[in-house]
mmCIF file of all heavy atoms in Angstrom:
data_model
loop_
_atom_site.group_PDB
_atom_site.id
_atom_site.type_symbol
_atom_site.label_atom_id
_atom_site.label_comp_id
_atom_site.label_asym_id
_atom_site.label_seq_id
_atom_site.Cartn_x
_atom_site.Cartn_y
_atom_site.Cartn_z
ATOM 1 N N VAL Y 44 -42.304 54.215 65.117
ATOM 2 C CA VAL Y 44 -42.961 55.481 65.450
ATOM 3 C C VAL Y 44 -42.089 56.158 66.506
ATOM 4 O O VAL Y 44 -41.880 55.613 67.592
ATOM 5 C CB VAL Y 44 -44.379 55.254 66.027
ATOM 6 C CG1 VAL Y 44 -45.046 56.606 66.304
ATOM 7 C CG2 VAL Y 44 -45.228 54.413 65.090
ATOM 8 N N ILE Y 45 -41.582 57.317 66.155
ATOM 9 C CA ILE Y 45 -40.737 58.055 67.090
ATOM 10 C C ILE Y 45 -41.599 59.096 67.775
ATOM 11 O O ILE Y 45 -42.196 59.962 67.124
ATOM 12 C CB ILE Y 45 -39.535 58.684 66.363
ATOM 13 C CG1 ILE Y 45 -38.682 57.568 65.742
ATOM 14 C CG2 ILE Y 45 -38.709 59.542 67.328
ATOM 15 C CD1 ILE Y 45 -37.382 58.027 65.104
ATOM 16 N N ILE Y 46 -41.707 58.978 69.101
ATOM 17 C CA ILE Y 46 -42.572 59.885 69.870
ATOM 18 C C ILE Y 46 -41.711 60.861 70.662
ATOM 19 O O ILE Y 46 -40.988 60.466 71.581
ATOM 20 C CB ILE Y 46 -43.507 59.091 70.808
ATOM 21 C CG1 ILE Y 46 -44.416 58.157 69.982
ATOM 22 C CG2 ILE Y 46 -44.347 60.055 71.660
ATOM 23 C CD1 ILE Y 46 -45.366 57.317 70.820
ATOM 24 N N GLY Y 47 -41.792 62.118 70.290
ATOM 25 C CA GLY Y 47 -41.059 63.168 71.001
ATOM 26 C C GLY Y 47 -41.880 63.671 72.168
ATOM 27 O O GLY Y 47 -43.089 63.850 72.056
ATOM 28 N N ILE Y 48 -41.211 63.886 73.290
ATOM 29 C CA ILE Y 48 -41.903 64.415 74.462
ATOM 30 C C ILE Y 48 -41.748 65.941 74.451
ATOM 31 O O ILE Y 48 -40.639 66.469 74.520
ATOM 32 C CB ILE Y 48 -41.328 63.809 75.772
ATOM 33 C CG1 ILE Y 48 -41.312 62.259 75.708
ATOM 34 C CG2 ILE Y 48 -42.137 64.299 76.964
ATOM 35 C CD1 ILE Y 48 -42.654 61.610 75.419
ATOM 36 N N LEU Y 49 -42.883 66.614 74.324
ATOM 37 C CA LEU Y 49 -42.913 68.074 74.257
ATOM 38 C C LEU Y 49 -42.682 68.667 75.647
ATOM 39 O O LEU Y 49 -43.137 68.092 76.618
ATOM 40 C CB LEU Y 49 -44.286 68.547 73.738
ATOM 41 C CG LEU Y 49 -44.639 68.103 72.311
ATOM 42 C CD1 LEU Y 49 -46.082 68.475 71.998
ATOM 43 C CD2 LEU Y 49 -43.701 68.717 71.308
ATOM 44 N N LYS Y 50 -42.034 69.822 75.737
ATOM 45 C CA LYS Y 50 -41.424 70.468 74.597
ATOM 46 C C LYS Y 50 -39.931 70.178 74.519
ATOM 47 O O LYS Y 50 -39.310 70.360 73.478
ATOM 48 C CB LYS Y 50 -41.617 72.001 74.726
ATOM 49 C CG LYS Y 50 -43.040 72.460 74.837
ATOM 50 C CD LYS Y 50 -43.065 73.955 75.205
ATOM 51 C CE LYS Y 50 -44.459 74.381 75.572
ATOM 52 N NZ LYS Y 50 -44.481 75.751 76.102
ATOM 53 N N GLY Y 51 -39.375 69.758 75.652
ATOM 54 C CA GLY Y 51 -37.912 69.656 75.765
ATOM 55 C C GLY Y 51 -37.246 68.744 74.754
ATOM 56 O O GLY Y 51 -36.112 68.961 74.353
ATOM 57 N N GLY Y 52 -37.966 67.684 74.318
ATOM 58 C CA GLY Y 52 -37.346 66.706 73.429
ATOM 59 C C GLY Y 52 -37.336 67.106 71.958
ATOM 60 O O GLY Y 52 -36.772 66.389 71.116
ATOM 61 N N VAL Y 53 -37.926 68.258 71.656
ATOM 62 C CA VAL Y 53 -38.162 68.616 70.252
ATOM 63 C C VAL Y 53 -36.885 68.921 69.459
ATOM 64 O O VAL Y 53 -36.740 68.494 68.316
ATOM 65 C CB VAL Y 53 -39.136 69.810 70.188
ATOM 66 C CG1 VAL Y 53 -39.062 70.534 68.872
ATOM 67 C CG2 VAL Y 53 -40.558 69.308 70.386
ATOM 68 N N VAL Y 54 -35.962 69.637 70.069
ATOM 69 C CA VAL Y 54 -34.739 70.022 69.348
ATOM 70 C C VAL Y 54 -33.895 68.766 69.096
ATOM 71 O O VAL Y 54 -33.399 68.539 67.980
ATOM 72 C CB VAL Y 54 -33.948 71.087 70.136
ATOM 73 C CG1 VAL Y 54 -32.650 71.436 69.433
ATOM 74 C CG2 VAL Y 54 -34.800 72.342 70.320
ATOM 75 N N PHE Y 55 -33.765 67.943 70.108
ATOM 76 C CA PHE Y 55 -33.043 66.677 69.983
ATOM 77 C C PHE Y 55 -33.691 65.805 68.905
ATOM 78 O O PHE Y 55 -33.016 65.276 68.015
ATOM 79 C CB PHE Y 55 -33.046 65.993 71.359
ATOM 80 C CG PHE Y 55 -32.458 64.617 71.411
ATOM 81 C CD1 PHE Y 55 -31.341 64.266 70.648
ATOM 82 C CD2 PHE Y 55 -33.001 63.653 72.270
ATOM 83 C CE1 PHE Y 55 -30.789 62.984 70.724
ATOM 84 C CE2 PHE Y 55 -32.462 62.376 72.357
ATOM 85 C CZ PHE Y 55 -31.359 62.041 71.576
ATOM 86 N N LEU Y 56 -35.021 65.671 68.967
ATOM 87 C CA LEU Y 56 -35.734 64.842 67.990
ATOM 88 C C LEU Y 56 -35.508 65.348 66.560
ATOM 89 O O LEU Y 56 -35.267 64.560 65.644
ATOM 90 C CB LEU Y 56 -37.224 64.802 68.320
ATOM 91 C CG LEU Y 56 -38.083 63.991 67.341
ATOM 92 C CD1 LEU Y 56 -39.050 63.092 68.083
ATOM 93 C CD2 LEU Y 56 -38.854 64.878 66.379
ATOM 94 N N ALA Y 57 -35.552 66.659 66.386
ATOM 95 C CA ALA Y 57 -35.404 67.233 65.038
ATOM 96 C C ALA Y 57 -34.045 66.882 64.438
ATOM 97 O O ALA Y 57 -33.950 66.553 63.255
ATOM 98 C CB ALA Y 57 -35.590 68.744 65.088
ATOM 99 N N ASP Y 58 -33.007 66.935 65.241
ATOM 100 C CA ASP Y 58 -31.676 66.562 64.739
ATOM 101 C C ASP Y 58 -31.563 65.047 64.589
ATOM 102 O O ASP Y 58 -31.028 64.552 63.600
ATOM 103 C CB ASP Y 58 -30.581 67.068 65.681
ATOM 104 C CG ASP Y 58 -30.326 68.567 65.513
ATOM 105 O OD1 ASP Y 58 -30.678 69.123 64.449
ATOM 106 O OD2 ASP Y 58 -29.766 69.169 66.447
ATOM 107 N N LEU Y 59 -32.069 64.330 65.596
ATOM 108 C CA LEU Y 59 -31.939 62.866 65.581
ATOM 109 C C LEU Y 59 -32.572 62.235 64.348
ATOM 110 O O LEU Y 59 -31.945 61.409 63.673
ATOM 111 C CB LEU Y 59 -32.570 62.284 66.857
ATOM 112 C CG LEU Y 59 -32.522 60.764 67.005
ATOM 113 C CD1 LEU Y 59 -31.085 60.280 67.205
ATOM 114 C CD2 LEU Y 59 -33.389 60.298 68.171
ATOM 115 N N VAL Y 60 -33.806 62.617 64.038
ATOM 116 C CA VAL Y 60 -34.508 61.944 62.932
ATOM 117 C C VAL Y 60 -33.822 62.208 61.589
ATOM 118 O O VAL Y 60 -33.924 61.400 60.675
ATOM 119 C CB VAL Y 60 -36.014 62.292 62.840
ATOM 120 C CG1 VAL Y 60 -36.739 61.744 64.062
ATOM 121 C CG2 VAL Y 60 -36.266 63.762 62.651
#
Side-chain angles (χ1 to χ4, degrees):
V44 182
I45 299 186
I46 299 179
I48 307 304
L49 297 172
K50 303 170 190 172
V53 160
V54 177
F55 175 37
L56 179 135
D58 283 339
L59 180 68
V60 294

